[in-house]
Amino acid sequence: MASKRHSSRSQTFSARAESETLPALSSYLLSLIAIKQSNLCVSADVHTTSALLRLAEEIGDSICLLKTHADIVDDFSDRTIKGLQDIAKRKYFLIFEDRKFGDIG
């Protein structure tokens, strides 16, 4: 028996973003994908705040999500967080923190 395709797979990202049953964050991400016409996510494997902020500034207009790794940023601080938040708001992308060593016991 052939599996049935989920109805959302035939909808545009914009249409999917408008679903009333979708969580707000999911809706926002789908809206970003539609607006930017890209679903690009970049993993920022850099070791300093200045390198992280510079990367976010350079690629922010082209991405929907920036995956960060606070565990490997040597000088991670409130300045790092504030800087990323400011750039993300201005360039319209989400920040996803990937705790590199969070699952190592």
Side-chain angles (χ1 to χ4, degrees):
M1 180 197 259
S3 63
K4 242 184 151 175
R5 212 173 157 172
H6 193 274
S7 63
S8 68
R9 303 243 337 184
S10 61
Q11 295 177 324
T12 64
F13 289 114
S14 294
R16 290 170 63 188
E18 293 174 10
S19 170
E20 293 178 10
T21 60
L22 203 60
L25 184 60
S26 298
S27 179
Y28 183 68
L29 179 57
L30 289 169
S31 294
L32 285 178
I33 291 169
I35 292 165
K36 291 190 171 195
Q37 297 183 351
S38 171
N39 62 358
L40 187 60
C41 170
V42 171
S43 180
D45 294 328
V46 296
H47 297 277
T48 65
T49 292
S50 63
L52 181 58
L53 298 179
R54 187 171 46 251
L55 178 65
E57 191 68 50
E58 289 174 9
I59 65 172
D61 291 324
S62 302
I63 64 171
C64 292
L65 191 136
L66 180 66
K67 187 168 82 164
T68 62
H69 308 288
D71 293 325
I72 66 171
V73 177
D74 298 329
D75 59 345
F76 192 87
S77 68
D78 289 342
R79 183 178 86 84
T80 311
I81 296 167
K82 176 80 169 100
L84 276 177
Q85 288 174 333
D86 290 347
I87 295 168
K89 284 179 187 172
R90 193 167 22 87
K91 297 196 173 263
Y92 300 100
F93 63 84
L94 293 172
I95 303 165
F96 173 76
E97 169 54 27
D98 181 13
R99 300 299 294 196
K100 281 285 194 204
F101 305 114
D103 59 352
I104 299 173

